[in-house]
Amino acid sequence: MKDLKKTSIFISLILRHKPETIGISLDQHGWANVDELINGINKTDDYHIDMGILEEIVRTDNKQRYSFNEDKTKIRANQGHSVNVDVELKEAEPPEQLFHGTGEKFVASIRKEGLIPKSRLYVHLSKDKETAEKVGARHGKPHIFFVHSGKMFRAGYKFYLSENGVWLTKSVPPEFLGER
């Protein structure tokens, strides 16, 4: 299982940030050809997969990072890209409040600038505080901001809900942030 996790992280790097690592490209919607992905990964010294392993990674990924197309000839990451792709997100009305977890070291700049996507295409928001705390813990001591997402939506900001339940928006200005 540990090897699957390591392989999943590598696939995430390829499908979200660096497809050129294994000599493949993504189409405009972030899809990669499954055969090209498997062949590219198998050319590396560290990873060897087949369709069964890839299906297992997609099925068991606890963050539901990946999706196949209907006939499983293409695969993509559901969100989190730094490469410019349109994963065909559908606009959605968010709940009144969403959450963003970060590390304490980023709190001062977020209070000043709001939430910005940095190297990603969108700001990622969680529907519950527990998930935001887990995300924040990846960056050191966690700090949780709550986002007045309903108010933002009514002010004209767009929100998207990814396939794996992560809420996305282009940015969150400081006036729509709160802390407890």
Side-chain angles (χ1 to χ4, degrees):
M1 190 62 123
K2 188 171 188 173
D3 289 338
L4 282 184
K5 184 174 181 181
K6 184 178 171 188
T7 303
S8 179
I9 291 168
F10 185 56
I11 292 170
S12 179
L13 172 76
I14 294 164
L15 295 179
R16 294 163 92 185
H17 309 294
K18 296 182 177 184
E20 69 278 3
T21 301
I22 60 165
I24 66 168
S25 59
L26 307 177
D27 73 12
Q28 66 182 355
H29 298 294
W31 293 105
N33 178 286
V34 168
D35 291 335
E36 290 175 9
L37 177 73
I38 290 171
N39 292 334
I41 290 171
N42 287 337
K43 288 179 185 172
T44 68
D45 292 332
D46 297 326
Y47 305 94
H48 297 284
I49 68 169
D50 58 23
M51 186 60 174
I53 292 171
L54 185 58
E55 287 176 325
E56 178 75 3
I57 287 170
V58 171
R59 187 180 63 74
T60 62
D61 185 80
N62 64 341
K63 295 182 183 174
Q64 299 176 312
R65 288 182 184 95
Y66 317 107
S67 293
F68 283 115
N69 68 344
E70 255 182 53
D71 64 3
K72 295 189 179 180
T73 58
K74 295 182 181 184
I75 186 172
R76 71 176 170 194
N78 289 321
Q79 43 83 16
H81 297 81
S82 61
V83 294
N84 195 16
V85 295
D86 172 13
V87 292
E88 306 167 289
L89 295 167
K90 291 180 177 52
E91 283 185 47
E93 183 174 350
E96 277 302 306
Q97 184 171 281
L98 291 167
F99 300 88
H100 182 80
T102 190
E104 274 194 344
K105 60 188 168 194
F106 303 116
V107 170
S109 69
I110 291 171
R111 285 178 180 149
K112 182 179 176 185
E113 299 176 32
L115 296 172
I116 55 175
K118 302 257 181 184
S119 63
R120 294 190 178 182
L121 301 178
Y122 296 95
V123 171
H124 294 202
L125 304 171
S126 305
K127 64 182 175 202
D128 59 76
K129 189 174 177 183
E130 296 74 29
T131 302
E133 285 175 358
K134 289 177 189 172
V135 171
R138 288 189 235 146
H139 304 284
K141 186 174 180 191
H143 185 90
I144 308 303
F145 285 94
F146 61 89
V147 176
H148 298 288
S149 44
K151 194 182 286 187
M152 278 183 68
F153 181 78
R154 289 186 293 280
Y157 290 86
K158 293 181 181 180
F159 286 82
Y160 308 90
L161 184 58
S162 72
E163 290 288 323
N164 59 347
V166 175
W167 284 93
L168 306 167
T169 191
K170 286 290 187 183
S171 65
V172 179
E175 62 266 25
F176 293 105
L177 291 174
E179 301 173 68
R180 287 193 183 136

